[in-house]
Structure formats: C-alpha cells, structure tokens
Amino acid sequence: MGYRVVVAGATGNVGREMLNILAERQFPVDEVAALASRKSLGTEVSFGDKTLKTQDLDTFDFTGWDMALFAVGSDATKTYAPKAAAAGCVVIDNSSLYRYEPDIPLIVPEVNPDAIDAYSNRNIIANPNCSTAQMVVALKPLHDRARIKRVVVSTYQSVSGAGKEGIDELWDQTKGMYVPGQEVAPSKFQKQIAFNVIPHIDVFMEDGTTKEEWKMVAETKKIVDPSIKVTATCVRVPVFVGHSEAINIEFEDFLDEDEARDILREAPGIMVVDKRESGGYVTPVECVGEYATYISRIRQDSTIENGLNLWCVSDNLRKGAALNAVQIAELLGNRVLKKG
C-alpha cells in the first residue's frame, strides 16, 4: 500500500520538478493529485509515463490524502495549507511562510532528520530557502567535526530562483541585445539581468541586508546551530539553473583541508570534485538535473585561525526546492507514516 500524494502548484517550475522527482525516485504512491489555480485548470502535467490533469486548488478536498507538497507561494499557502493540515494531510511547504515558526520543523534530511518528529505540532513541515539548503548540507558534517563559529557566504543565484518569469526575462533580454527593436526592459528583476549581476534578491530590510540574506542567516541557525554567526551577500547572475556559493568558514578547532575533503566525500548528499587543475571544479551548468550538492575549491584560509574556503554548487530547482521536499516526504514516510 502506497501514499496518496498531492502536489499543489503543479504547473510551476518547482511543482513540475516535484512530480518528476517523485517518479524518478519511485516514491510509493497509490494516487497523485496535481493542483493548480483556476486559471491553469485542466493543464496537463507529466508524472513519470503518466499524464495528469490539474485540479482546482480552491475546491480540492484534502480528506484522505496522506501528504501535500506545496509550491504555490506564501499567499496561497496561508489559505490552503491550514485546510490540508486540518483534514489530516501533512503539508510539506516550499514557501517562506512557515520557516521561522518555532513549532514548525524546518528540515534538510541530511542535516536535521530528527526534527521530523515535530511535524505533529501543526501537521506542517517547512522546506528551506534554496540558497540555504545546499549550504547547510556542506556545513553540517564539518560542524560536527570542528564546530563552526562564523560563515561568510557570497551567492551567485540563477534566474530560475525567480520562477518562469525570471527565466523568460533573461532569455528575452539576451536575444534583445542582438536584435534591434527587440530590446527588453527590466520587469521581473530590478536591473538588466542579461550580461549583468544584481546584488539584490527579495526586499531590502532596515539594516541594509536583503530578505534573501536574512533568510540564509535565520535558517542556518534553525537547521544547524543557533550559535553559528552568518553573514551573506546574495547576488542574481545570468545563469538559467544552478546556484553557486563561495563559502568562507571559521571553526573553533583547526580543520585541515585534506581532512575536510575526506569528511565531505563521506557526507550524504555531497559530491566532491576538487582537482587543482584547469576544469577541476563544478559549475552550475554541470549540476543541472543532478541530486547532489557539489563541493570544489576546498582550501585553507590563511588570513584567520582555523579557516577554510570552499565552492558549493547545486541545482536550485532540485536540492534547493523539489528534491528536498521529496526527501522530506520520504523521511516522513519511513519514520512516521510507514506505508509503502
């Protein structure tokens, strides 16, 4: 006997990826419902070798369904997630709405699987921000060995993190640079994204950080350890899929780069590609469609005591969103619901 699973937001980039990954990983399902807003009603989406017609999120009855993967944004989640949870369907939410609620677990299965037990507080589990997810997968095994004091991270985030509109804007703007009369002004992004980088993701906060940067700080503390100090600079770059991060880590104890490399090679969810030669590292283009978080450029930082630098790359639509949600569903099934 398998699970009855709902995917809400099934026509979006992340929702479609959730369906792909559920099928790829042969998640034990008896039935899958693809939900969308009324304007997308009846749109067909793929689930393995099957085709599903989307149903109306607004009128859907969650009674009798085991779990619902939500990829609909905070506003819609605020309306529909409590309805699903009240009907006994466990919500795994990809939006930022519930991430910072103290009684709702925020989970990266490789990092804090034991937090799954708190799902029963409200029948809701939060999925972290894409840039946080890949970083904490790399931080946790190193933290277990040498205790991290401080992290300085600069991100290079792809336009798919801003949804289909972000992908379309980069595509259209790039074409418009070469075709007179087809220039495209910024719309989804604050400035031109083609052949440019923008140090601004989400809204600005009073202290000058952006909400994206704040998310990385708050989520790392909740998922890994509240004592870790984090400072982030988040940058949108003209890449379609795949987030990259340059991470500087200061530890309480000395950690040799070779030992760090060995630890990361053995850590779940990580692939180390770190050859000190031309091309001996991973770039976003190479991580697209992959499950792993890739780590390269591991080296000592001689400017501080007990410091390391590393380069971290992952498919943001997968580990940063859909894959992590499906892994949470697998964890929930294996440890709590125990069907399939």
Side-chain angles (χ1 to χ4, degrees):
M1 189 168 71
Y3 297 96
R4 301 182 76 214
V5 178
V6 175
V7 175
T11 59
N13 288 342
V14 174
R16 289 177 187 271
E17 203 65 24
M18 286 174 170
L19 289 166
N20 289 339
I21 293 170
L22 284 166
E24 283 176 16
R25 292 172 74 91
Q26 298 181 324
F27 189 82
V29 296
D30 276 353
E31 188 177 357
V32 177
L35 308 187
S37 63
R38 200 157 286 170
K39 67 180 182 182
S40 300
L41 202 58
T43 301
E44 293 187 340
V45 292
S46 296
F47 175 63
D49 57 4
K50 298 177 183 176
T51 300
L52 307 176
K53 278 196 172 181
T54 56
Q55 303 176 53
D56 187 3
L57 173 60
D58 192 45
T59 58
F60 188 78
D61 183 2
F62 289 91
T63 305
W65 293 82
D66 295 299
M67 55 183 84
L69 280 58
F70 268 57
V72 293
S74 294
D75 289 343
T77 297
K78 192 172 186 177
T79 300
Y80 300 107
K83 289 182 180 179
C89 178
V90 182
V91 173
I92 300 169
D93 177 36
N94 194 59
S95 80
S96 61
L97 183 65
Y98 294 112
R99 291 175 189 158
Y100 317 107
E101 300 275 341
D103 59 342
I104 288 181
L106 178 66
I107 293 178
V108 176
E110 298 94 334
V111 178
N112 61 335
D114 291 345
I116 195 78
D117 296 334
Y119 90 95
S120 57
N121 292 337
R122 289 166 67 181
N123 246 18
I124 297 172
I125 302 166
N127 208 25
N129 189 41
C130 48
S131 50
T132 306
Q134 69 188 69
M135 182 172 76
V136 297
V137 169
L139 294 183
K140 181 58 163 60
L142 301 177
H143 182 63
D144 288 345
R145 161 62 181 81
R147 292 201 62 80
I148 295 171
K149 290 171 59 178
R150 181 171 185 254
V151 174
V152 181
V153 56
S154 297
T155 71
Y156 307 78
Q157 294 179 226
S158 68
V159 295
S160 57
K164 184 178 182 298
E165 292 174 331
I167 293 173
D168 290 346
E169 187 156 315
L170 174 57
W171 176 257
D172 293 338
Q173 246 177 29
T174 302
K175 287 193 300 180
M177 299 287 285
Y178 294 100
V179 183
Q182 292 190 20
E183 296 84 0
V184 175
S187 173
K188 181 64 179 177
F189 300 113
Q190 305 84 357
K191 297 197 177 193
Q192 174 186 311
I193 186 60
F195 305 99
N196 197 18
V197 298
I198 305 172
H200 177 189
I201 301 176
D202 212 321
V203 297
F204 273 98
M205 304 179 74
E206 282 188 12
D207 65 355
T209 62
T210 63
K211 188 73 177 288
E212 185 82 358
E213 292 157 356
W214 177 86
K215 289 174 188 174
M216 293 194 76
V217 176
E219 292 173 20
T220 301
K221 287 176 175 289
K222 184 171 179 178
I223 296 168
V224 183
D225 189 331
S227 69
I228 297 175
K229 295 178 180 179
V230 181
T231 182
T233 302
C234 293
V235 183
R236 189 74 71 191
V237 297
V239 169
F240 285 110
V241 178
H243 287 358
S244 305
E245 298 172 349
I247 307 174
N248 176 266
I249 310 167
E250 183 179 0
F251 298 92
E252 288 185 7
D253 302 316
F254 178 75
L255 179 59
D256 178 77
E257 63 187 38
D258 292 325
E259 185 182 353
R261 201 173 286 111
D262 290 341
I263 289 169
L264 291 169
R265 281 199 178 105
E266 297 299 318
I270 288 176
M271 287 283 291
V272 175
V273 179
D274 190 20
K275 297 178 181 177
R276 293 179 175 178
E277 60 188 45
S278 180
Y281 43 82
V282 173
T283 61
V285 168
E286 296 149 89
C287 79
V288 175
E290 298 292 332
Y291 289 147
T293 294
Y294 290 87
I295 305 296
S296 307
R297 302 293 318 281
I298 302 164
R299 61 204 189 279
Q300 305 291 163
D301 175 5
S302 60
T303 68
I304 55 171
E305 282 192 41
N306 308 332
L308 280 179
N309 288 302
L310 56 84
W311 175 251
C312 176
V313 176
S314 188
D315 182 330
N316 56 292
L317 297 179
R318 292 208 150 203
K319 186 55 190 171
L323 171 61
N324 200 73
V326 173
Q327 288 176 306
I328 292 172
E330 292 170 343
L331 182 66
L332 181 70
N334 292 335
R335 289 183 53 154
V336 180
L337 303 182
K338 297 182 179 177
K339 289 168 67 174

